């Protein structure tokens, strides 16, 4: 095969990790021909939707506890690559952190992040080939041949697979490349949505659709405490949502059918403090109906819901008819509102994939153990991070890392 016909490095997927990988590979090996093969009509569509259009691209508090999955050396890889501030600073994107440590571009605009990545890739001479949906990889004497759904063939020496997972298929990620790698003998772990709402029985959410409340979410399984987070909880007609619930979604994979969420809707108050408050209200509002008991603590729908679920009595009764035991039941429910998790959200509502190609399938350079010359990065691997910039940080770092190792594996080759 002539030099003109073979690409040195083909990157499958032009998302966050694929763009970072292509930039790093071309920086290290300027003479290498680096091509991004992207299924959609343009690269980086998902980046535009991140952080509600603001792109929460990293977090100042990076640590192992924020990552889940079988890729065990994530922190080593993150530590071996430039920080997000350094990486983006080097391509002209200045970053700033909010009070919770979440790092955003100063522009507060995801499009500027994508534009800067694309400009840098273009300056270096990375080629974008959009509308190429890879569906087959075969080995050849020179390396590999990637076929597309429409029958195009793409010969290359090395491959970086950066095609993401199953989450948010509206941005091009439907797990097809995970299936492709499975057919090549890669072992995949259990796959389910992460950073996503969790389903509960809809009859337990009657009247709560659209309600938001501050509180603590505690995840349990079989009486065992798993994790807790404080933040805004959102109720939909069939799910619990909000960042603190999103961060519990990865537990569904391991504890399917046995996962419980307990909401403490007055996390900043002790039981007895709440009782004291309710005793006063009970005295003051005695002539009013019980649906007014919690007016002032919760918004109307949530206030009625709690009173009804705690007492099982009509809300038309007078507050004066409640006794000490009734007030205690209400306090108990405010602090322990339990839901059995019945399922996870549909892929379109998930931000991330829990599970993927097992960490055991790649070596410490993120190269497939069974097929040398193919490197993996980003969400396609079995690793997912908490909400707060951790997933994009993994995408940039693993992309840079795979891009660097892939380019270095070509050293000495006649390009
Ligand atoms: C709405 C939303 C908001 C988010 N917000 C944040 C946030 O603020 N902070 C954060 O850290 N994380 C966020 N995430 C998660 C984060 O965007 C992803 O974890 C990250 O983009 C994964 O990067 P990736 O390169 O592995 O995959 P992706 O960015 O998903 O890119 C994969 C690319 O591969 C292409 N592709 C797929 N199959 C093929 C194929 N067969 N052939 C060729 N190309 C293919 C896809 O079209 C896509 O362009 C968000 C996700 C969503 C959906």
């Amino acid at each position: 095969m002539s030099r003109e016909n073979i690409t040195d490095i083909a990157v499958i997927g032009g998302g966050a990790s694929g763009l970072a990988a292509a930039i790093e590979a071309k920086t290290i090996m300027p003479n290498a021909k680096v091509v991004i093969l992207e299924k959609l009509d343009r690269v980086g569509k998902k980046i535009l939707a991140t952080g509600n259009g603001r792109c929460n691209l990293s977090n100042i508090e990076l640590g192992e506890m924020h990552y889940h999955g079988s890729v065990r050396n994530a922190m080593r890889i993150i530590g071996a690559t430039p920080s997000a501030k350094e990486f983006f600073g080097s391509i002209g994107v200045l970053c700033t952190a909010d009070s919770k440590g979440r790092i955003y571009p100063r522009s507060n605009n995801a499009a500027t992040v994508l534009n800067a990545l694309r400009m840098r890739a273009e300056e270096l001479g990375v080629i974008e080939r959009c509308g190429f949906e890879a569906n087959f990889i075969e080995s050849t004497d020179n390396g590999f041949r990637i076929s597309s759904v429409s029958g195009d063939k793409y010969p290359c020496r090395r491959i970086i697979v950066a095609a993401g997972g199953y989450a948010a298929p509206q941005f091009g990620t439907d797990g097809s490349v995970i299936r492709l790698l499975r057919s090549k003998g890669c072992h995949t772990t259990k796959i389910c949505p992460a950073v996503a709402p969790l389903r509960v029985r809809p009859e337990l959410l009657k009247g709560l659709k659209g309600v938001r409340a501050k509180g603590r979410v505690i995840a349990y399984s079989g009486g065992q405490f798993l994790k807790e987070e404080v933040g805004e909880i959102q109720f939909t007609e069939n799910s619990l949502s909000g960042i603190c619930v999103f961060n519990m979604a990865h537990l569904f994979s391991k504890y399917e059918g046995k996962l419980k969420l307990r909401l403490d809707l007055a996390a900043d108050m002790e039981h007895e403090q709440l009782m004291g408050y309710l005793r006063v209200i009970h005295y003051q509002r005695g002539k009013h109906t019980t649906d007014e008991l919690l007016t002032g603590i919760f918004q109307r729908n949530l206030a009625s819901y709690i009173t009804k679920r705690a007492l099982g009595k009509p809300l038309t009764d007078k507050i004066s008819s409640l006794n000490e035991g009734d007030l205690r039941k209400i306090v108990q429910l405010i602090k322990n509102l339990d839901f059995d998790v019945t399922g996870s959200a549909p892929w379109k509502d998930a931000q991330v994939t829990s599970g993927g190609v097992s960490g055991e399938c790649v070596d410490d350079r993120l190269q497939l153990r069974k097929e040398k010359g193919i490197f993996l990065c980003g969400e396609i691997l079995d690793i997912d991070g908490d909400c707060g910039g951790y997933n994009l940080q993994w995408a940039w770092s693993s992309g840079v890392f795979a891009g660097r190792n892939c380019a270095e594996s070509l050293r000495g080759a006649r390009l």
Side-chain angles (χ1 to χ4, degrees):
M1 177 115 8
S2 71
R3 162 80 184 98
E4 292 73 46
N5 289 337
I6 189 157
T7 287
D8 297 308
I9 299 176
V11 181
I12 301 179
S17 66
L19 283 159
I23 289 171
E24 179 73 1
K26 189 73 177 155
T27 304
I28 290 195
M29 293 291 257
N31 294 334
K33 183 175 172 191
V34 179
V35 178
I36 296 175
L37 303 173
E38 167 56 47
K39 162 181 164 179
L40 299 182
D41 58 351
R42 55 173 300 187
V43 300
K45 279 197 170 171
K46 191 182 284 176
I47 295 173
L48 297 176
T50 58
N52 282 326
R54 294 169 57 213
C55 188
N56 175 198
L57 50 81
S58 182
N59 198 294
I60 52 174
E61 191 221 312
L62 294 171
E64 214 164 306
M65 66 279 205
H66 295 292
Y67 290 100
H68 324 284
S70 60
V71 176
R72 300 262 172 251
N73 54 355
M75 286 316 296
R76 183 182 65 79
I77 290 172
I78 290 172
T81 52
S83 70
K85 281 192 174 184
E86 286 163 349
F87 175 70
F88 282 100
S90 75
I91 64 168
V93 177
L94 297 186
C95 297
T96 177
D98 71 7
S99 59
K100 294 197 168 137
R102 295 178 293 217
I103 301 178
Y104 291 89
R106 280 177 91 99
S107 62
N108 251 331
N109 182 277
T112 62
V113 174
L114 176 58
N115 291 344
L117 287 164
R118 290 191 66 206
M119 274 192 286
R120 186 65 191 136
E122 192 191 328
E123 285 153 15
L124 290 165
V126 172
I127 299 163
E128 281 180 12
R129 180 157 173 203
C130 293
F132 186 103
E133 182 175 352
N135 76 342
F136 195 65
I137 298 174
E138 58 194 306
S139 304
T140 63
D141 293 344
N142 295 318
F144 305 95
R145 191 180 299 115
I146 306 171
S147 305
S148 77
V149 169
S150 53
D152 292 336
K153 307 260 183 233
Y154 218 86
C156 56
R157 291 181 209 279
R158 299 282 186 276
I159 299 177
I160 300 174
V161 185
Y166 285 78
Q170 61 275 30
F171 300 113
T173 36
D174 60 2
S176 58
V177 182
I178 292 188
R179 291 193 290 274
L180 188 165
L181 291 176
R182 215 182 267 147
S183 73
K184 289 190 79 62
C186 284
H187 165 65
T188 54
T189 55
K190 185 172 173 186
I191 288 170
C192 72
V195 186
L198 283 168
R199 288 261 167 99
V200 300
R201 278 172 32 220
E203 58 273 25
L204 279 184
L205 291 176
K206 262 202 184 121
L208 289 182
K209 187 178 168 190
V211 169
R212 293 161 182 255
K214 290 251 156 55
R216 174 181 292 132
V217 181
I218 307 157
Y220 284 96
S221 182
Q224 181 201 351
F225 167 86
L226 301 173
K227 188 173 182 178
E228 67 173 37
E229 287 229 2
V230 174
E232 187 186 76
I233 302 152
Q234 295 169 19
F235 299 85
T236 75
E237 62 188 346
N238 56 17
S239 305
L240 298 177
S241 187
I243 290 175
C244 48
V245 176
F246 283 7
N247 282 339
M248 307 288 169
H250 70 96
L251 296 169
F252 182 76
S253 160
K254 189 166 173 194
Y255 299 98
E256 184 169 357
K258 292 174 286 185
L259 184 62
K260 282 184 195 297
L261 293 184
R262 170 164 292 177
L263 312 187
D264 176 351
L265 295 177
D268 53 342
M269 290 174 89
E270 296 297 331
H271 273 76
E272 287 316 307
Q273 233 182 323
L274 258 179
M275 268 308 282
Y277 169 84
L278 285 194
R279 282 188 195 112
V280 173
I281 294 296
H282 178 250
Y283 176 71
Q284 284 177 353
R285 295 186 189 158
K287 287 188 193 140
H288 294 271
T289 50
T290 50
D291 65 334
E292 299 289 4
L293 182 74
L294 299 177
T295 298
I297 315 191
F298 300 115
Q299 62 186 86
R300 190 170 187 82
N301 288 0
L302 183 57
S304 306
Y305 173 90
I306 290 171
T307 316
K308 203 166 164 188
R309 185 165 156 184
L311 303 178
K313 286 186 190 172
L315 296 177
T316 45
D317 286 1
K318 292 277 182 276
I319 289 178
S320 57
S321 72
L322 302 179
N323 59 32
E324 179 82 0
D326 292 331
L327 299 187
R328 219 160 256 296
K329 278 187 199 162
I330 291 170
V331 168
Q332 183 64 15
L333 195 73
I334 292 172
K335 303 283 293 172
N336 301 283
L337 189 57
D338 286 345
F339 294 92
D340 289 331
V341 175
T342 56
S344 47
W347 285 115
K348 70 172 178 47
D349 296 334
Q351 294 193 2
V352 182
T353 311
S354 161
V357 176
S358 166
E360 288 162 15
C361 295
V362 288
D363 64 16
D364 57 7
R365 301 188 316 148
L366 292 182
Q367 179 173 218
L368 279 187
R369 288 186 197 278
K370 284 191 177 162
E371 189 110 37
K372 298 292 173 206
I374 300 183
F375 295 77
L376 267 56
C377 57
E379 205 178 301
I380 197 160
L381 282 158
D382 173 24
I383 174 166
D384 58 280
D386 289 340
C387 195
Y390 298 100
N391 289 293
L392 280 175
Q393 177 61 63
W394 169 249
W396 317 127
S397 289
S398 60
V400 167
F401 193 76
R404 180 191 299 167
N405 292 329
C406 180
E408 279 172 356
S409 76
L410 282 171
R411 269 198 210 289
R414 211 168 60 83
L415 302 182

